[in-house]
Amino acid sequence: MQYEGRIVKGIGGFYYVDTADGILECRARGIFRKEKLIPLVGDLVTISVDETTGTGAVEEIHPRKNLLIRPPVANVTQMAVVVATANPKPNLYLLDKLIASAEYAGIHPLICWNKTDLDSGEDYGELYRNAGFDVLLLSAETGQQVDLLKERLKDQVTVFAGNSGVGKSSLLNRIFGTETFATGDVSSRVERGKHTTRHSELAALPFGGYIIDTPGFGSFDISLLQPENVVELFREFTPYADGCRFRDCSHTVEQGCQVLQAVEDGKIASSRHESYCALVQEIRDANKRK
Ligand SMILES: Nc1nc2c(ncn2[C@@H]2O[C@H](COP(=O)(O)OP(=O)(O)O)[C@@H](O)[C@H]2O)c(=O)[nH]1
Ligand SMILES: [Mg+2]
Ligand SMILES: [Zn+2]
């Protein structure tokens, strides 16, 4: 009997595949090891199940749309970048780096401002909407815009990224209507971190789609980038970078640069440009150490 499904968990040589008949346990066939192809969480697969023994086997891995390295997950469609309007104070560089890593991977970034009960976050909302992003102003505490978040998650495979303490687990508990995801202050989390393994797992949403519950999803490996690639990862810079009359302009300090002009004219937010410059510098520094 053959099934189509999606790998939602991989542990100890077994894969758990979500199919129309529920989650089935499978072993990967040796052939994948020869091809150096390792089934990953998120993979869409064809499996066969032996009627008599009830054992499943992954027969085929369908071509991947994309692949995240940390955590290793295939076919992610969306990154919910979660940031708190207050407590902790927003780290715009981390936020912009996470957005850039989503752009790099070809994953739709969804900007989730949380804790709007502490600070409305209207200004941040406007800043990121003007930059061309889909922005939600959420509160896991009051439930504000959680209905909109559910709409955005429906039928997508979403990874939640963001600093610890911003409320990712609290939002997920709101979405699932349970207390499945452990929340709390930093000290208890550190304690827990020691005992939990860090394998990725997809959790099926009751209304369709999956979320990836991996603690501490980080931004991308900057060694993959060169300074001149960074501008493509800041979507609202594109028209100005394309119009910049300097060849090989780094759009950081050059007199007469169109990107810098757009920052001066208020068309590009200065905080976004600061993040851009910081990321370019981080890559240059990393290159020097090579
Ligand atoms: N005031 C307020 N506190 C929140 C909100 N969301 C989460 N918190 C609190 O922030 C802390 C960290 O939340 P948690 O969900 O564990 O964050 P995570 O590390 O991103 O998963 C907890 O004490 C939560 O109760 C919110 O919308 N408003
Ligand atoms: Mg958490
Ligand atoms: Zn320029």
Side-chain angles (χ1 to χ4, degrees):
M1 178 94 181
Q2 290 220 327
Y3 293 90
E4 298 296 314
R6 188 187 292 270
I7 299 179
V8 292
K9 184 163 80 168
I11 204 165
F14 285 98
Y15 294 95
Y16 296 83
V17 179
D18 194 9
T19 71
D21 278 359
I23 293 182
L24 304 175
E25 188 184 76
C26 294
R27 275 195 178 283
R29 285 204 186 282
I31 179 163
F32 297 117
R33 248 158 284 162
K34 264 183 263 159
E35 291 170 4
K36 288 203 173 128
L37 193 60
I38 299 165
L40 287 179
V41 167
D43 269 328
L44 292 164
V45 291
T46 304
I47 64 169
S48 63
V49 177
D50 187 309
E51 308 275 304
T52 47
T53 63
T55 351
V58 177
E59 298 289 347
E60 194 186 335
I61 304 171
H62 300 302
R64 291 170 183 152
K65 289 205 185 79
N66 59 36
L67 176 62
L68 294 182
I69 308 296
R70 283 181 313 184
V73 188
N75 300 317
V76 174
T77 62
Q78 177 167 249
M79 184 190 291
V81 187
V82 186
V83 58
T85 58
N87 190 28
K89 192 171 173 288
N91 178 340
L92 296 184
Y93 182 46
L94 176 73
L95 169 61
D96 291 333
K97 232 170 124 174
L98 287 169
I99 294 171
S101 67
E103 303 277 25
Y104 182 81
I107 295 167
H108 177 253
L110 173 66
I111 320 298
C112 298
W113 286 95
N114 188 37
K115 307 202 187 185
T116 57
D117 54 294
L118 301 179
D119 180 317
S120 75
E122 294 291 346
D123 294 351
Y124 291 126
E126 198 178 303
L127 192 161
Y128 283 88
R129 268 189 203 113
N130 287 342
F133 296 103
D134 188 10
V135 181
L136 296 179
L137 297 175
L138 296 152
S139 169
E141 188 77 19
T142 69
Q144 179 179 302
Q145 292 204 350
V146 170
D147 51 335
L148 295 181
L149 178 57
K150 287 183 181 174
E151 277 176 25
R152 301 299 199 281
L153 299 181
K154 188 174 165 13
D155 301 331
Q156 302 293 318
V157 180
T158 306
V159 61
F160 275 73
N163 248 348
S164 108
V166 296
K168 296 179 297 297
S169 299
S170 304
L171 285 169
L172 291 173
N173 285 333
R174 270 273 178 186
I175 290 157
F176 283 89
T178 59
E179 295 296 321
T180 314
F181 301 93
T183 63
D185 57 59
V186 174
S187 57
S188 62
R189 214 174 5 245
V190 169
E191 210 38 56
R192 232 183 357 255
K194 282 182 200 161
H195 306 291
T196 48
T197 45
R198 288 194 151 214
H199 64 267
S200 329
E201 194 169 328
L202 296 189
L205 291 161
F207 44 82
Y210 297 89
I211 60 106
I212 298 152
D213 172 35
T214 301
F217 175 79
S219 83
F220 54 164
D221 180 359
I222 59 156
S223 70
L224 298 167
L225 283 181
Q226 286 306 314
E228 59 271 23
N229 306 133
V230 176
V231 72
E232 297 152 29
L233 309 179
F234 285 72
R235 54 173 72 182
E236 76 276 30
F237 292 21
T238 312
Y240 308 105
D242 289 348
C244 189
R245 59 201 161 93
F246 302 128
R247 258 189 80 226
D248 304 329
C249 185
S250 76
H251 318 300
T252 56
V253 293
E254 293 87 345
Q255 285 280 328
C257 164
Q258 287 295 301
V259 171
L260 290 176
Q261 187 61 52
V263 176
E264 197 163 305
D265 297 344
K267 289 178 182 135
I268 290 176
S270 50
S271 68
R272 290 275 293 164
H273 189 254
E274 281 162 25
S275 293
Y276 166 80
C277 292
L279 184 52
V280 167
Q281 193 56 49
E282 204 182 316
I283 295 163
R284 284 179 181 155
D285 292 345
N287 282 347
K288 267 183 236 156
R289 285 196 299 271
K290 271 182 197 163

